[in-house]
């Protein structure tokens, strides 16, 4: 599963690494690539809501990035003993400006190319 997801991710990163208004995650050679994050650059001509609409209008499902500001998950956090160190600027930015689209354990080259075309 992971090997096929990594192959899909290679195409995704090749297509999106120089996108004019999106940032993507960097490969660490260890990621299982469960999905693909799409984070709007500060200079993006669209906002998160417009990005989501563009995806949905093209039949592409998207979700919030789970690791946005995790502190907003009050129901989960009540079970943890934790401390906050520093500010949460990056978590807030991802929470406000990021979306996630899924990957799969089979070849989804056509869908990744479609995603790229929809966001070009």
């Amino acid at each position: 599963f992971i090997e096929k997801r990594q192959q899909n991710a290679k195409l995704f990163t090749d297509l999106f690494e120089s996108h004019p208004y999106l940032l993507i995650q960097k490969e660490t050679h260890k990621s299982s690539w469960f999905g693909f994050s799409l984070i709007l650059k500060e200079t993006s001509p669209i906002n998160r809501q417009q990005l989501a609409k563009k995806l949905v209008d093209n039949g592409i499902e998207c979700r919030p990035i789970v690791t946005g500001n995790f502190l907003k998950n009050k129901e989960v956090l009540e079970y943890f003993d934790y401390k906050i160190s520093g500010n949460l600027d990056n978590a807030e930015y991802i929470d406000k400006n990021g979306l996630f689209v899924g990957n799969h354990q089979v070849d989804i080259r056509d869908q990744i190319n479609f995603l790229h075309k929809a966001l070009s």
Side-chain angles (χ1 to χ4, degrees), residues 5 14 19 24 27 32 38 43 48 67 75 83 85 90 117:
R5 285 181 179 157
D14 287 349
H19 195 279
I24 61 168
E27 173 56 271
S32 62
L38 304 168
T43 57
R48 184 176 182 260
T67 58
E75 296 80 16
K83 293 181 183 179
S85 176
N90 291 333
K117 183 178 177 184

Coordinates of all heavy atoms in Angstrom, one line a residue, residues 5 14 19 24 27 32 38 43 48 67 75 83 85 90 117:
R5 N 1.2 4.3 -2.8 CA 0.9 5.7 -2.3 C 2.1 6.6 -2.6 O 2.0 7.8 -3.0 CB 0.6 5.7 -0.9 CG -0.8 5.2 -0.6 CD -1.2 5.3 0.9 NE -2.5 4.8 1.1 CZ -2.9 4.3 2.2 NH1 -2.1 4.3 3.3 NH2 -4.2 3.9 2.4
D14 N 5.7 16.2 -8.3 CA 6.2 16.7 -9.5 C 5.3 17.8 -10.1 O 5.8 18.8 -10.7 CB 6.4 15.6 -10.5 CG 7.6 14.7 -10.2 OD1 8.4 15.0 -9.3 OD2 7.7 13.6 -10.8
H19 N 3.7 25.1 -7.9 CA 2.3 25.7 -8.2 C 2.4 27.1 -7.7 O 3.0 27.5 -6.7 CB 1.3 24.9 -7.4 CG -0.1 25.2 -7.8 ND1 -0.8 26.3 -7.4 CD2 -0.9 24.6 -8.6 CE1 -2.0 26.4 -7.9 NE2 -2.1 25.3 -8.7
I24 N 2.8 22.5 -0.8 CA 2.6 21.1 -0.6 C 3.6 20.6 0.4 O 4.7 21.2 0.6 CB 2.6 20.2 -1.8 CG1 3.9 20.3 -2.5 CG2 1.5 20.7 -2.8 CD1 4.1 19.3 -3.7
E27 N 8.6 15.6 0.8 CA 8.8 14.2 1.0 C 10.0 14.0 2.0 O 11.0 14.7 1.8 CB 9.1 13.5 -0.4 CG 9.5 12.1 -0.3 CD 8.6 11.2 0.5 OE1 8.7 11.1 1.7 OE2 7.7 10.6 -0.2
S32 N 3.9 7.9 4.5 CA 3.0 6.9 3.9 C 2.0 7.6 3.0 O 1.3 6.9 2.3 CB 2.2 6.2 5.0 OG 1.4 7.1 5.7
L38 N -2.9 20.7 0.6 CA -2.9 21.8 -0.3 C -3.0 23.0 0.6 O -4.0 23.3 1.2 CB -4.0 21.8 -1.3 CG -4.1 20.5 -2.2 CD1 -5.5 20.5 -2.9 CD2 -3.0 20.5 -3.2
T43 N 0.2 34.8 -0.9 CA 0.0 35.6 -2.1 C -1.1 35.0 -3.0 O -1.3 35.4 -4.1 CB 1.3 35.7 -2.9 OG1 1.7 34.4 -3.3 CG2 2.3 36.4 -2.2
R48 N -9.5 29.8 1.2 CA -9.7 28.4 1.4 C -11.1 28.0 1.0 O -11.3 26.9 0.4 CB -9.6 28.1 2.9 CG -9.7 26.6 3.3 CD -9.4 26.5 4.8 NE -9.5 25.1 5.2 CZ -10.5 24.6 5.8 NH1 -11.6 25.3 6.1 NH2 -10.5 23.3 6.2
T67 N -3.9 18.1 11.1 CA -3.0 18.7 11.9 C -3.0 20.2 11.9 O -2.0 20.8 12.2 CB -1.6 18.2 11.6 OG1 -1.3 18.5 10.2 CG2 -1.4 16.7 11.9
E75 N -12.9 18.1 22.5 CA -13.4 16.8 23.0 C -12.3 15.7 23.1 O -12.3 14.9 23.9 CB -14.5 16.3 22.1 CG -15.7 17.2 22.1 CD -15.6 18.4 21.2 OE1 -14.7 18.4 20.3 OE2 -16.4 19.3 21.3
K83 N 1.1 20.5 27.3 CA 1.5 21.9 27.5 C 1.7 22.6 26.2 O 2.1 21.9 25.2 CB 2.8 22.0 28.3 CG 2.6 21.6 29.8 CD 3.9 21.7 30.5 CE 3.7 21.2 31.9 NZ 4.9 21.3 32.7
S85 N 3.8 25.2 24.0 CA 5.1 25.9 24.1 C 5.2 26.9 22.9 O 5.1 26.4 21.7 CB 6.3 24.9 24.0 OG 7.5 25.6 23.9
N90 N 1.8 28.9 13.0 CA 1.8 28.0 11.8 C 0.5 27.1 11.8 O -0.1 26.8 10.8 CB 3.0 27.2 11.8 CG 4.2 28.0 11.4 OD1 4.1 29.1 10.8 ND2 5.4 27.6 11.9
K117 N -5.0 19.8 -13.3 CA -5.7 20.6 -14.3 C -6.8 21.4 -13.7 O -6.9 22.6 -14.0 CB -6.3 19.6 -15.3 CG -7.0 20.3 -16.5 CD -7.5 19.4 -17.5 CE -8.3 20.2 -18.6 NZ -8.9 19.3 -19.5

